[in-house]
Amino acid sequence: IASDIESLISVMTSPVGFVNAIRQLKDLSLVEREANTDISILRMHDLIQLVVQDASKKIDGHRDWFQVAVMLVSNALKIVEDPESPKWWNVCETVLPHILSLMEKWELSFGAVSSLGDASNRIGVYLNSRGQYSEALKLLEWTWEFRKQELGLDHPSTLTTMHNIAAVYKSQGR
């Protein structure tokens, strides 16, 4: 896995290598580019996602790849200075489906617990700022349960999540 990750990072950090890799994926109809905002998005068909996920479960190291995915999404979200600011909403909205998808498979997140919790917490703050209270609560309550089990009730990260849940309640007038 380590050499595969190094190869992936090499492609992702090379402007020419990255463009060529995306072009090859597009030529094979595995991805398509969506440019509906100022952010360019690659979309992979749901069926292709399922096939790739199923194939990854059959090889050793699928947990390692899951952790890489958590790391990539978490780092993408770290550029967001303030998830409550409309300036950053496009980035948050782009990352949101990836966070939700990773959270569905949280049992694979050993070693990436903190990163996944931080990312889901930030997205919860974003959803609250957009007035999507039920979605924010669902995400934050999941994160809180997750953090209570993994970190304990008195851990600062658990307490931060509790604070963010209270902020949603306040926004709702509860």
Side-chain angles (χ1 to χ4, degrees):
I1 281 282
S3 64
D4 290 340
I5 292 172
E6 287 178 18
S7 297
L8 176 63
I9 291 171
S10 174
V11 168
M12 290 174 59
T13 57
S14 165
V16 174
F18 185 74
V19 170
N20 287 336
I22 298 303
R23 185 177 304 121
Q24 287 176 13
L25 291 171
K26 284 178 62 178
D27 290 347
L28 295 170
S29 298
L30 296 175
V31 298
E32 61 187 35
R33 177 167 268 157
E34 292 180 8
N36 54 2
T37 63
D38 55 342
I39 298 173
S40 182
I41 300 169
L42 287 176
R43 168 130 170 59
M44 182 184 298
H45 191 279
D46 294 342
L47 183 58
I48 294 170
Q49 287 182 39
L50 287 173
V51 169
V52 170
Q53 288 172 0
D54 187 54
S56 72
K57 289 177 185 173
K58 294 176 183 172
I59 62 171
D60 288 337
H62 68 280
R63 287 180 192 263
D64 294 332
W65 282 109
F66 180 85
Q67 291 175 7
V68 169
V70 169
M71 180 189 68
L72 290 171
V73 171
S74 297
N75 285 337
L77 196 55
K78 283 181 183 177
I79 66 164
V80 174
E81 294 171 9
D82 179 10
E84 295 177 289
S85 170
K87 171 183 172 182
W88 296 101
W89 286 357
N90 281 339
V91 176
C92 291
E93 196 63 33
T94 301
V95 173
L96 175 62
H98 302 289
I99 299 279
L100 295 174
S101 176
L102 291 169
M103 288 177 66
E104 288 175 8
K105 298 159 189 69
W106 72 273
E107 70 276 359
L108 299 176
S109 67
F110 303 112
V113 171
S114 180
S115 295
L116 185 56
D118 292 346
S120 62
N121 208 29
R122 288 176 65 79
I123 288 294
V125 170
Y126 155 73
L127 290 169
N128 182 42
S129 70
R130 295 292 303 258
Q132 298 175 8
Y133 305 124
S134 62
E135 294 89 350
L137 274 177
K138 181 179 175 183
L139 190 65
L140 290 168
E141 287 172 349
W142 177 91
T143 304
W144 184 58
E145 289 296 328
F146 184 63
R147 286 185 159 172
K148 276 194 316 185
Q149 291 174 8
E150 298 295 323
L151 304 173
L153 271 174
D154 294 331
H155 192 278
S157 295
T158 307
L159 296 172
T160 297
T161 303
M162 288 174 60
H163 167 80
N164 291 335
I165 291 170
V168 175
Y169 286 161
K170 182 180 179 186
S171 296
Q172 292 178 309
R174 292 169 56 182

